[in-house]
């Protein structure tokens, strides 16, 4: 793995079957060999991308007390603001030097799923700024539509029914996150976000032009995922790796903190299916010589276990 492949979103949607199938093959190779790819030509309006960056800058510039009024620790279902040091993606080394805001589908507290799985379903905690809320909601819808096209292509690549993955997204727990990486006060710029893999199916990442994302290649070397204007960086998550019996690889990545005086913003969209999705080895990913490695697990149980390992405030006492 010497570079991160480019996949053309419009080709994945093409009505020309030869063109579409060729792009699906490229996607399949990227998922198997790298676990990362750039997704170009997504058709998400430029205004939405710019609006999301503007919203992040506006929100994170608020007084600390106002941001902490929607602190994620006040939410049973992990929504709202996370202050610097709240998350530690690298479970061995220091906490991440970033602040965050998380949102997902908004379920009322009385909804049956909120009652059954209160740590995963429930209401969002929104900031008071209407423009920020509107920008978040608009991008969430657009990014979700893109994710379903990608998952459809993955199903086709794996010789599954076209809707094998997408039918698992009726009451999904997909999370949109805004992240602000402020400059570190000390010289160590190594841990904006510690080395980690993502938990879910796939992640769609929109990043600004500052850079800092690094991906670990098969030789154990860190390589830069240099920003490409208006392109998303897509990576395989741990859940998809389980589902495909390690055929698709969930690759370690990290974020280097910005240099002095520089602020970085990014927007991961964690694509995660319905809680009760039974994730067991896909038929096309095991054989007599390659047996299933993982027992079946509910998607939500897996995501929950990873959250609990990452956030100190979710640990049971």
């Amino acid at each position: 793995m010497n570079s991160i492949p480019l996949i053309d979103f419009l080709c994945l949607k093409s009505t020309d079957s030869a063109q579409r199938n060729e792009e699906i093959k490229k996607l399949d190779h990227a998922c198997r060999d790298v676990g990362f790819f750039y997704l170009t030509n997504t058709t998400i309006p430029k205004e939405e991308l710019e609006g999301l960056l503007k919203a992040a800058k506006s929100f994170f510039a608020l007084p600390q007390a106002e941001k902490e009024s929607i602190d994620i620790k006040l939410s049973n279902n992990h929504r709202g603001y996370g202050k610097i040091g709240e998350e530690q993606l690298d479970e061995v080394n220091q906490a991440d030097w970033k602040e965050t805001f998380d949102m997902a589908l908004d379920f009322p507290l009385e909804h049956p799923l909120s009652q059954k799985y209160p740590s995963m379903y429930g209401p969002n905690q929104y900031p008071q700024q209407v423009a920020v809320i509107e920008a978040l909601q608009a991008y969430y819808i657009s990014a979700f539509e893109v994710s379903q096209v990608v998952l459809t292509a993955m199903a086709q690549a794996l010789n599954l029914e076209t809707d094998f993955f997408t039918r698992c997204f009726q009451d999904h727990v997909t999370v949109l996150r805004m992240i602000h990486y402020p400059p570190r006060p000390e010289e160590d710029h190594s841990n904006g976000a510690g080395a980690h893999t993502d938990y879910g199916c796939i992640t769609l990442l929109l990043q600004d032009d500052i850079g800092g994302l690094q991906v670990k290649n098969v030789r154990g070397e860190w390589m830069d995922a240099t920003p490409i204007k208006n392109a998303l960086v897509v990576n395989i998550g741990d859940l998809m790796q389980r589902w495909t019996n390690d055929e698709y690889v969930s690759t370690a990545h990290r974020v280097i903190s910005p240099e002095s005086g520089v602020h970085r913003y990014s927007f991961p969209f964690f694509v995660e299916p319905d809680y009760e999705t039974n994730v067991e080895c896909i038929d096309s990913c095991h054989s007599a010589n390659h047996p299933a490695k993982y027992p079946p697990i509910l998607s939500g149980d897996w995501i929950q276990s990873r959250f609990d390992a990452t956030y100190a405030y979710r640990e049971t006492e």
Side-chain angles (χ1 to χ4, degrees):
M1 179 177 71
N2 297 315
S3 62
I4 299 173
L6 273 68
I7 303 296
D8 191 318
F9 180 75
L10 291 180
C11 291
L12 291 180
K13 293 184 65 177
S14 176
T15 55
D16 181 328
S17 60
Q19 184 182 52
R20 185 176 65 255
N21 290 336
E22 184 62 30
E23 205 67 18
I24 288 172
K25 286 181 183 178
K26 289 170 59 179
L27 172 72
D28 187 54
H29 286 307
C31 295
R32 292 175 186 275
D33 299 339
V34 186
F36 268 80
F37 56 89
Y38 291 102
L39 190 65
T40 62
N41 297 321
T42 64
T43 69
I44 298 177
K46 179 182 176 183
E47 296 75 23
E48 284 189 17
L49 303 178
E50 293 173 345
L52 191 60
L53 179 58
K54 183 178 179 181
K57 290 180 177 179
S58 175
F59 172 72
F60 289 118
L62 291 172
Q64 189 67 21
E66 186 171 345
K67 289 183 288 188
E68 290 188 18
S69 69
I70 54 169
D71 194 303
I72 204 163
K73 294 193 293 293
L74 303 174
S75 167
N76 289 330
N77 50 303
H78 197 75
R79 311 287 171 78
Y81 172 72
K83 62 185 178 182
I84 291 173
E86 193 74 70
E87 186 175 35
Q88 183 173 330
L89 290 171
D90 183 332
E91 294 175 27
V92 177
N93 296 307
Q94 72 266 40
D96 297 351
W97 189 260
K98 67 179 191 285
E99 54 181 344
T100 62
F101 172 84
D102 285 25
M103 64 163 283
L105 293 181
D106 212 330
F107 285 81
L109 289 173
E110 60 272 16
H111 191 281
L113 286 171
S114 301
Q115 297 288 315
K116 189 173 185 179
Y117 304 115
S119 63
M120 295 289 280
Y121 290 98
N124 289 321
Q125 289 194 107
Y126 282 120
Q128 296 182 6
Q129 304 145 295
V130 174
V132 172
I133 298 172
E134 290 176 346
L136 287 163
Q137 292 177 337
Y139 183 77
Y140 189 102
I141 292 169
S142 295
F144 182 74
E145 291 174 352
V146 169
S147 76
Q148 300 304 283
V149 173
V150 174
L151 288 172
T152 297
M154 287 182 176
Q156 293 170 318
L158 293 164
N159 298 313
L160 303 169
E161 295 177 11
T162 299
D163 68 343
F164 180 87
F165 295 120
T166 57
R167 66 193 181 206
C168 303
F169 285 81
Q170 303 306 307
D171 296 305
H172 55 95
V173 290
T174 298
V175 172
L176 171 59
R177 168 175 286 188
M178 297 192 297
I179 307 179
H180 171 220
Y181 297 92
R184 291 186 74 99
E186 63 267 23
E187 291 303 314
D188 178 14
H189 298 289
S190 63
N191 199 49
H196 66 285
T197 56
D198 290 347
Y199 314 147
C201 282
I202 58 174
T203 302
L204 278 56
L205 175 73
L206 174 66
Q207 55 179 337
D208 64 14
D209 59 1
I210 300 299
L213 175 64
Q214 295 185 328
V215 177
K216 200 171 193 177
N217 67 21
V218 292
R219 295 184 297 277
E221 303 162 340
W222 291 103
M223 62 179 186
D224 293 331
T226 305
I228 297 177
K229 187 72 172 178
N230 296 331
L232 302 177
V233 179
V234 182
N235 63 279
I236 301 298
D238 298 341
L239 192 70
M240 183 62 77
Q241 179 167 304
R242 278 184 77 108
W243 225 336
T244 60
N245 206 29
D246 293 350
E247 295 291 317
Y248 284 5
V249 293
S250 180
T251 303
H253 50 287
R254 67 184 184 185
V255 175
I256 303 299
S257 289
E259 297 300 320
S260 177
V262 176
H263 295 256
R264 179 180 186 267
Y265 299 88
S266 69
F267 308 90
F269 188 71
F270 301 110
V271 182
E272 298 164 356
D274 305 349
Y275 192 109
E276 294 183 348
T277 300
N278 187 41
V279 176
E280 59 182 330
C281 185
I282 291 168
D283 286 343
S284 62
C285 293
H286 69 88
S287 64
N289 296 324
H290 184 48
K293 299 178 181 179
Y294 307 103
I297 191 171
L298 292 184
S299 170
D301 287 346
W302 169 257
I303 300 298
Q304 177 73 57
S305 70
R306 299 306 302 133
F307 271 150
D308 291 346
T310 305
Y311 288 87
Y313 84 90
R314 291 173 73 97
E315 292 177 357
T316 55
E317 297 180 359

